[in-house]
Amino acid sequence: RKEVEQDPGPFNVPEGATVAFNCTYSNSASQSFFWYRQDCRKEPKLLMSVYSSGNEDGRFTAQLNRASQYISLLIRDSKLSDSATYLCVVNMGNQGGKLIFGQGTELSVKP
Amino acid sequence: NAGVTQTPKFQVLKTGQSMTLQCAQDMNHNSMYWYRQDPGMGLRLIYYSASEGTTDKGEVPNGYNVSRLNKREFSLRLESAAPSQTSVYFCASPGTSGSFEQFFGPGTRLTVL
């Protein structure tokens, strides 16, 4: 089992749609969780951290379920500019700052 | 304040050639990381440095060496490049001291023929 697994892509959605990405992780000692966005041929950029209470940033909502070791990202009213690959990222628990990356889910928002 | 910088942006090598990828951060952080990213795969950790003067292997260290020259710089060296090392290489450093999120340099696209 991969340490961090994401929905296989690609997701092709029309503008204005709501899209949800799912991610599971295997290390129960993990403490920190993130969603990164990566545009084609660019570096990954932090989209948002994920907290146990859930958190929202504009059209983006992240949820964490520690019991199920599950993370989600919801994008509402999707825009053309949301087209990118979304990476689920988890820290390696008792190994400090080391991060494990999911393989990414590609999103394509069409007019 | 550039964050994390990497050089070069692109490089083409022949099998057996050597090269060093440079990374620098101006955030005064202790930790620095080198990753590689291949199509269809997540980023994989090659080496990391928790502080100046220390380095440790990550998930895929074979074929690479690193040097933490000072707090600011962390270089990755390929002594004898192989086609399997064709990849995009990213250097990263934490966002704030003690935090787990990482910020990435723009990457080096390396092709080994």
Side-chain angles (χ1 to χ4, degrees):
Chain A
R1 181 185 173 191
K2 290 182 185 175
E3 292 188 77
V4 178
E5 289 199 74
Q6 296 185 235
D7 283 339
F11 282 45
N12 296 301
V13 303
E15 267 187 298
T18 295
V19 60
F21 300 139
N22 301 313
C23 172
T24 57
Y25 61 95
S26 62
N27 188 342
S28 60
S30 295
Q31 301 164 355
S32 298
F33 310 89
F34 310 98
W35 284 101
Y36 277 73
R37 170 193 170 126
Q38 186 173 26
D39 293 290
C40 186
R41 302 179 71 78
K42 299 280 191 180
E43 73 272 24
K45 293 186 178 177
L46 180 66
L47 178 66
M48 57 198 306
S49 300
V50 187
Y51 304 116
S52 296
S53 55
N55 49 303
E56 187 173 308
D57 183 3
R59 298 181 292 108
F60 299 84
T61 300
Q63 297 279 353
L64 168 64
N65 184 321
R66 285 186 185 271
S68 302
Q69 296 180 205
Y70 170 88
I71 306 160
S72 65
L73 176 68
L74 185 76
I75 305 175
R76 291 181 300 279
D77 188 24
S78 52
K79 312 290 185 192
L80 297 177
S81 57
D82 294 333
S83 298
T85 296
Y86 292 83
L87 306 173
C88 176
V89 184
V90 176
N91 91 303
M92 291 182 69
N94 59 358
Q95 294 191 46
K98 291 166 70 173
L99 301 179
I100 295 292
F101 290 76
Q103 79 273 28
T105 302
E106 185 182 345
L107 172 66
S108 180
V109 182
K110 306 290 187 185
Chain B
N1 191 352
V4 181
T5 57
Q6 289 183 239
T7 55
K9 286 191 168 57
F10 303 93
Q11 185 71 50
V12 179
L13 294 177
K14 294 180 180 178
T15 297
Q17 288 185 314
S18 62
M19 78 162 295
T20 299
L21 283 66
Q22 306 286 354
C23 175
Q25 51 99 2
D26 61 6
M27 300 175 285
N28 200 36
H29 292 153
N30 287 322
S31 302
M32 296 182 75
Y33 305 83
W34 274 107
Y35 296 89
R36 62 176 288 172
Q37 185 176 33
D38 301 296
M41 303 185 72
L43 278 75
R44 293 182 292 169
L45 184 65
I46 305 171
Y47 270 93
Y48 67 102
S49 171
S51 61
E52 184 179 351
T54 67
T55 61
D56 285 287
K57 295 178 180 179
E59 182 185 353
V60 288
N62 291 345
Y64 305 96
N65 287 302
V66 289
S67 295
R68 184 72 185 270
L69 304 170
N70 46 55
K71 194 170 188 179
R72 186 173 173 273
E73 298 171 295
F74 187 36
S75 62
L76 179 72
R77 183 161 178 83
L78 287 70
E79 291 289 354
S80 179
S84 61
Q85 293 178 304
T86 294
S87 189
V88 182
Y89 292 85
F90 291 105
C91 178
S93 187
T96 55
S97 188
S99 67
F100 290 134
E101 75 266 17
Q102 294 176 13
F103 288 85
F104 289 82
T108 296
R109 282 157 184 78
L110 175 67
T111 301
V112 183
L113 302 174

